[in-house]
Amino acid sequence: MSVTASESGGEAPAAEETRADRRLWDAAGGWHGAAVAVGILAATRIVQLTLLVWLDRATAEPMGLRGNLLIWDGGWFRRVAEGYPHGYTYGPTGALEGNELAFFPLYPMLIRGLSALGLDSGTAALTVSWLASVAAAVALHLLGTSLYGRRAGWALVAVCCSAPMSVVLSMAYSESLFLALLAGMFVAAHRKVWWAAGLLGLGCALTRPTGAAAALALAVAAIMAVRRDPAGPKWPPLVAAGVALAGVPAYLGWVGWRVGDPDAWFKIQTAGWGTSFDFGRSTLTFLHDTLTLGDGWVPMSVALILLAAAAAAAVAMAGRPWLPLAVYGLVAMVLVYGQAGYYHSKPRLLLPVLLTLLPAVTAAARARPRVAIPAIAAWAAFGLWYGAYLVAVWPYTI
């Protein structure tokens, strides 16, 4: 009796080869997508650093590119890398002042690690930020692609990395590290890689106070996963959420133990930077005074950015985004708008919120390239110049 090829399994090798080719094609597409994302990041960094050099040279006392990239919080992080103080810091008059304990530990720990390899602290700080920016670009691309498709992934990278105050992605600030960890956490949670999501969520919580919002979002993702698969294992998502949720309380508790005062972190923040949660009263006062008195174009621009971001978040919520991303965005915005502090720092604090960027990202993904590319380029032209201006020309900290 004759046996056909299909009956003898003769077609199986061809089928296996097809599946292998498909996997290879998918992998190549993934690497290509990541490479494009890094290219977009590189283009924004080159343009912004060029603008920063140009604007700095026009000032009365140029600081140079490196000096501008290491100013303000960069100095604080470098001092933290040398070690935290053991208590409060007081000024000549005996008034409480801010000190290094206000800054969360992961970014300065990485600076210290690179410094141990022989780099000076400034070079180490910038190296960590730039490497984290590359990781953030790849993670943002993966997040946008997972939620809305590959074009949205690239659009998310372009819109985020050219937003007002995206300049901090090149500076000795912790935003690039936080953004990389945050986007990576969301990607891992969306793909149900819980061990990675938990570790990345913990990293967020040890990088910035808004890591608490990221951890809460991961808890929402974990609850969603348990409810959708009640017969599946419950401990991986729940443990991941618990690990992330422990990060911010652990650091605040450690500061309280080190100083001998449970409220030490909050007192240091208020004394050094006027940061306290006042349920948005100072933000509303700033908006009212600025929009009625119009005292300077920078305050006016910050006011308009705050209003535009709130409107964009409302539009994003109307589109019913992925719930963990929505929860993180809303909680993070409450923290930004609800706290008192330097008003000119708020555009920087809004950078990693992501929810405010979704309407532009989804619109760009749906639009034809000849419409989307010029629109993003116009956005980038303003955002990249704006950040460079506030660093090189604006005399106050961001």
Side-chain angles (χ1 to χ4, degrees):
M1 182 175 66
S2 64
V3 179
T4 64
S6 59
E7 290 172 337
S8 66
E11 291 295 321
E16 288 296 329
E17 183 178 355
T18 300
R19 285 194 289 271
D21 289 344
R22 186 178 297 115
R23 287 195 296 270
L24 289 172
W25 185 90
D26 289 341
W31 284 110
H32 171 71
V36 172
V38 174
I40 293 171
L41 169 72
T44 64
R45 297 307 88 204
I46 291 171
V47 171
Q48 188 150 63
L49 294 178
T50 301
L51 289 170
L52 187 55
V53 170
W54 173 58
L55 290 171
D56 177 65
R57 288 177 176 174
T59 62
E61 298 180 0
M63 293 184 60
L65 180 60
R66 181 182 171 89
N68 277 312
L69 296 180
L70 293 173
I71 56 174
W72 300 318
D73 283 6
W76 284 102
F77 281 121
R78 293 165 68 188
R79 289 191 291 274
V80 173
E82 298 173 359
Y84 282 110
H86 288 274
Y88 288 126
T89 300
Y90 297 94
T93 63
L96 182 64
E97 295 182 342
N99 67 21
E100 289 81 1
L101 288 167
F103 295 86
F104 277 52
L106 184 55
Y107 178 53
M109 285 174 58
L110 295 175
I111 296 173
R112 185 169 185 169
L114 284 185
S115 297
L117 299 178
L119 296 178
D120 67 85
S121 63
T123 301
L126 294 178
T127 300
V128 172
S129 290
W130 291 6
L131 290 177
S133 295
V134 174
V138 174
L140 287 169
H141 168 67
L142 291 174
L143 178 61
T145 300
S146 298
L147 296 179
Y148 300 107
R150 182 166 296 177
R151 289 178 62 185
W154 290 327
L156 180 57
V157 176
V159 172
C160 183
C161 293
S162 60
M165 297 320 302
S166 60
V167 66
V168 293
L169 299 178
S170 300
M171 297 175 67
Y173 272 62
S174 62
E175 270 78 10
S176 57
L177 178 61
F178 181 79
L179 194 56
L181 294 167
L182 175 72
M185 182 200 75
F186 279 133
V187 171
H190 192 264
R191 300 184 180 187
K192 297 181 174 54
V193 186
W194 295 111
W195 66 268
L199 292 177
L200 292 167
L202 177 62
C204 289
L206 295 177
T207 302
R208 298 189 62 80
T210 43
L216 183 59
L218 182 57
V220 171
I223 294 170
M224 290 171 59
V226 170
R227 293 185 63 182
R228 287 178 180 176
D229 187 14
K234 296 180 175 57
W235 67 266
L238 296 180
V239 169
V243 167
L245 287 167
V248 170
Y251 180 67
L252 299 184
W254 179 81
V255 172
W257 171 82
R258 189 173 180 88
V259 175
D261 182 354
D263 296 329
W265 185 84
F266 298 96
K267 292 178 180 178
I268 292 169
Q269 276 281 345
T270 301
W273 295 269
T275 303
S276 61
F277 195 80
D278 65 356
F279 299 93
R281 286 192 297 271
S282 61
T283 300
L284 290 175
T285 299
F286 162 72
L287 289 173
H288 175 269
D289 292 347
T290 301
L291 295 175
T292 55
L293 300 176
D295 184 18
W297 81 265
V298 170
M300 183 65 71
S301 68
V302 172
L304 293 177
I305 287 171
L306 292 175
L307 294 175
V315 173
M317 290 301 298
R320 302 183 66 181
W322 186 44
L323 184 58
L325 184 59
V327 168
Y328 161 74
L330 291 176
V331 174
M333 290 189 72
V334 167
L335 294 176
V336 173
Y337 286 75
Q339 74 176 14
Y342 299 138
Y343 69 86
H344 33 83
S345 294
K346 291 189 183 295
R348 171 177 65 86
L349 300 177
L350 285 172
L351 177 65
V353 169
L354 298 183
L355 182 67
T356 60
L357 306 179
L358 291 186
V361 167
T362 54
R366 290 193 301 265
R368 294 181 178 181
R370 66 171 180 264
V371 175
I373 292 175
I376 293 176
W379 161 269
F382 169 74
L384 297 176
W385 170 84
Y386 185 83
Y389 179 91
L390 288 192
V391 171
V393 182
W394 176 250
Y396 304 109
T397 179
I398 56 170

